Amino acid sequence: MIKKISLLLIALLLLGTLTVGFVGCADTEDGYDVGTSNTVNTQENDDGYIADDLPENNFGGDKVIILTPTWRNTPDYILQKEIKGNIVNDAMVQSYYNVSERFNMEIDLLIPGDQKVVQSTVENAGKSGDTSFDIVYNHDTRTVANAVNGNFLNIKSMELVNLDKPWWTASSQKFQIANKLYFTSSYLGIWSPYMNMGLYYNKDIASENGITMPYDDIIAGNWYIDDMIEMTKNLKIDKDGDGEITTDKDQYGYVTSYHGNLCAQANLVGSFISQDGKGGNKINADIERCSNYMSTMERLYANGIGEYEGVTSYNMDIFKDGRALFIFSEARTLVENRNDITFKWGMIPFPKYDENQKEYSSAGYDLFWGVNINVAHRSEIISTAVEALSCQNYNNVYPVIWEEFFGYKLSESVTDYQMVCIVRDATFVNPDYVYDTQILGMTQLLNLWDTAEKSSVSSHITTNTNLAKVSLKLCVEKFSQMP
């Protein structure tokens, strides 16, 4: 029997916390599309809540089991069942029990070890027919490896899955190979908002230098990379007056690192891997745009830095020390360093490349999940759990994450709410990064700034796209033969 909890008690504990209902806030216009739009047809209630539209069902207390690793406390980002007084944790608790009591089902975690152990467990299950778990939620590249190995069901074949709902994010379209989706990134867990990239700025430096963030232009869709570069001019400053710019004492206009460069390219250039409209996939290579992008990044880095202190720190030490106007980083780095930041800061979407780019892009990172190939007979309960919990997280948990992140209710700041809305609706994970380990040449293409010689971009792209085309064709053929 399912352990009962009073939803009324939870609601009282969370009263005043779940006050923001997210609604769509981006218009489209004709022009170049880097492919990040997540426009969906959904029915909103009067309060902005988007329903899952699932049929009511009673699963008699049956369990859905999610296999996941100990890596980076991943279980905590998937499921919570105990009220602890933390607004994000407690919102997750309410989401779980809303689903559990509505459908008379349980959702539990199976945690056998780290990400390597989970990957091997899934591989062994593919051979043995093991049905002891339903969903696999693991490190990104290891989930992809399991998918390519044929260990997962095609998510699109599951009867109640509705990819038109916003909690699936644009990744669920971009990850498809041969018109099939064997793994994805979505709101089934809450890793996405923490691992997604954001452009954050120091409000004090902006004010001191007479810089006003163009919120009206951003909302209107008229925020471009040239505008951002203009803001960073003259902000690379020798603060200690020793005649040289050093990372430990001086100021920059823009800071990030390797993984930031990777996402900046996805935002401005788009992905090399795309769907061909015929049920297959292709490699796009706009050499002129890529060459122009390299020149654009050179102008941006005239006042910035992206190589210092490892690939995932994003130079947070410079930003938190009040020595950078902009930082392009995962949200988690701000969460981890929030107590050390003494100045006011804000968030805006990464700019568009130019007026021909239709939508903002917000490339980032996430953990991926797939469905055990041996549990096709459980499609109804698994797809119900996935849709229902994702819906709850999207409507009730995601807003609370951002309220905790900013330190105040988004309802108190219309502008911050609009910025969050824009970033949320543009979130995706670059398929070039996703299939990096599976498609030859992709490592050399997905981050041109760090892998290509500036004087030979064209030949670099040509050589590696030729490799990628051959490798992608083999990948498509393999996925086409999988059930």
Side-chain angles (χ1 to χ4, degrees):
M1 179 180 294
I2 294 179
K3 179 182 178 181
K4 296 293 184 180
I5 187 169
S6 170
L7 293 180
L8 176 59
L9 174 59
I10 297 175
L12 289 172
L13 289 169
L14 295 173
L15 187 61
T17 297
L18 307 179
T19 59
V20 179
F22 277 14
V23 295
C25 49
D27 293 327
T28 60
E29 57 189 46
D30 292 335
Y32 184 84
D33 184 6
V34 295
T36 63
S37 174
N38 190 31
T39 303
V40 292
N41 296 317
T42 58
Q43 183 65 44
E44 296 177 2
N45 295 334
D46 292 340
D47 60 358
Y49 184 96
I50 299 176
D52 55 40
D53 298 326
L54 289 167
E56 296 307 316
N57 210 329
N58 185 327
F59 290 100
D62 199 358
K63 288 185 178 181
V64 172
I65 303 298
I66 301 176
L67 182 73
T68 197
T70 54
W71 183 78
R72 285 194 178 182
N73 298 316
T74 295
D76 293 341
Y77 292 84
I78 299 174
L79 199 65
Q80 294 291 346
K81 296 185 179 181
E82 180 182 349
I83 291 288
K84 297 177 181 178
N86 172 279
I87 61 172
V88 175
N89 174 91
D90 296 354
M92 291 177 69
V93 172
Q94 179 169 5
S95 288
Y96 168 72
Y97 283 104
N98 283 346
V99 173
S100 176
E101 296 198 355
R102 175 183 171 191
F103 294 104
N104 192 16
M105 67 161 68
E106 289 188 66
I107 303 173
D108 280 331
L109 302 180
L110 178 61
I111 310 169
D114 65 14
Q115 64 270 35
K116 296 178 183 179
V117 173
V118 170
Q119 180 182 353
S120 62
T121 300
V122 177
E123 290 174 353
N124 292 334
K127 301 172 185 176
S128 67
D130 182 5
T131 60
S132 63
F133 59 91
D134 301 296
I135 296 169
V136 180
Y137 210 136
N138 198 12
H139 182 274
D140 48 14
T141 58
R142 296 185 182 279
T143 304
V144 176
N146 281 135
V148 173
N149 196 47
N151 301 137
F152 295 144
L153 290 173
N154 177 10
I155 294 171
K156 292 177 67 177
S157 70
M158 301 182 72
E159 56 192 289
L160 296 177
V161 163
N162 183 356
L163 296 183
D164 287 334
K165 291 294 186 180
W167 40 84
W168 288 94
T169 78
S171 298
S172 297
Q173 297 297 328
K174 288 177 172 292
F175 287 6
Q176 294 184 34
I177 296 288
N179 205 30
K180 296 179 179 179
L181 182 66
Y182 288 101
F183 63 93
T184 192
S185 160
S186 75
Y187 289 95
L188 179 59
I190 64 166
W191 261 116
S192 178
Y194 290 105
M195 296 184 73
N196 200 59
M197 297 291 292
L199 184 62
Y200 306 97
Y201 72 95
N202 183 320
K203 292 185 177 182
D204 292 351
I205 290 180
S207 177
E208 291 165 4
N209 289 273
I211 297 171
T212 301
M213 291 299 145
Y215 288 116
D216 290 341
D217 286 341
I218 293 172
I219 293 167
N222 300 323
W223 163 236
Y224 306 114
I225 188 64
D226 284 345
D227 301 326
M228 178 177 160
I229 292 173
E230 184 66 27
M231 289 181 182
T232 66
K233 283 185 177 180
N234 304 317
L235 289 182
K236 193 172 186 178
I237 300 173
D238 179 13
K239 300 284 282 188
D240 61 358
D242 65 356
E244 60 180 355
I245 302 294
T246 56
T247 55
D248 60 336
K249 295 180 180 179
D250 297 319
Q251 180 177 291
Y252 296 84
Y254 171 81
V255 298
T256 189
S257 61
Y258 174 89
H259 279 79
N261 293 335
L262 190 155
C263 289
Q265 177 178 312
N267 289 340
L268 297 174
V269 176
S271 304
F272 282 90
I273 301 174
S274 66
Q275 294 162 21
D276 63 7
K278 302 176 183 178
N281 300 80
K282 61 182 180 180
I283 299 291
N284 292 313
D286 188 333
I287 293 178
E288 180 180 3
R289 188 179 181 89
C290 289
S291 297
N292 291 338
Y293 160 77
M294 295 291 278
S295 298
T296 298
M297 292 298 287
E298 191 169 15
R299 290 190 290 122
L300 178 61
Y301 275 126
N303 296 292
I305 189 169
E307 292 80 20
Y308 171 66
E309 204 192 271
V311 296
T312 59
S313 68
Y314 304 101
N315 283 298
M316 174 53 70
D317 60 334
I318 298 176
F319 185 75
K320 73 181 182 182
D321 197 31
R323 295 184 290 111
L325 173 62
F326 289 112
I327 184 171
F328 186 45
S329 77
E330 293 175 54
R332 65 169 180 81
T333 61
L334 261 77
V335 172
E336 292 164 359
N337 292 276
R338 184 171 47 200
N339 293 335
D340 297 326
I341 297 175
T342 59
F343 52 85
K344 294 180 180 179
W345 56 271
M347 180 187 74
I348 56 178
F350 201 85
K352 297 179 181 179
Y353 183 75
D354 56 26
E355 65 276 2
N356 293 316
Q357 182 175 325
K358 292 195 298 184
E359 305 282 352
Y360 290 110
S361 289
S362 187
Y365 304 97
D366 200 357
L367 300 192
F368 307 149
W369 61 269
V371 179
N372 184 356
I373 194 169
N374 301 315
V375 295
H377 60 288
R378 289 172 52 77
S379 173
E380 184 180 24
I381 186 172
I382 295 170
S383 55
T384 296
V386 165
E387 285 285 349
L389 191 57
S390 298
C391 171
Q392 289 288 323
N393 288 341
Y394 178 86
N395 285 287
N396 296 333
V397 181
Y398 190 96
V400 174
I401 290 172
W402 284 101
E403 290 185 355
E404 181 188 50
F405 189 43
F406 282 110
Y408 53 80
K409 293 184 183 301
L410 289 176
S411 56
E412 297 173 3
S413 174
V414 173
T415 300
D416 283 333
Y417 168 73
Q418 289 171 316
M419 297 302 104
V420 168
C421 195
I422 290 171
V423 171
R424 179 209 64 186
D425 289 345
T427 296
F428 76 110
V429 180
N430 185 5
D432 298 349
Y433 172 78
V434 171
Y435 290 105
D436 173 30
T437 59
Q438 307 298 325
I439 298 176
L440 294 176
M442 199 50 60
T443 298
Q444 305 303 316
L445 291 172
L446 61 84
N447 187 357
L448 295 171
W449 180 255
D450 288 304
T451 61
E453 292 293 333
K454 312 308 182 281
S455 60
S456 56
V457 176
S458 178
S459 60
H460 177 94
I461 293 173
T462 300
T463 298
N464 287 288
T465 52
N466 287 338
L467 283 173
K469 286 176 181 178
V470 174
S471 188
L472 177 62
K473 182 179 179 181
L474 295 175
C475 193
V476 170
E477 289 175 353
K478 183 170 185 176
F479 274 49
S480 297
Q481 296 169 5
M482 289 162 57

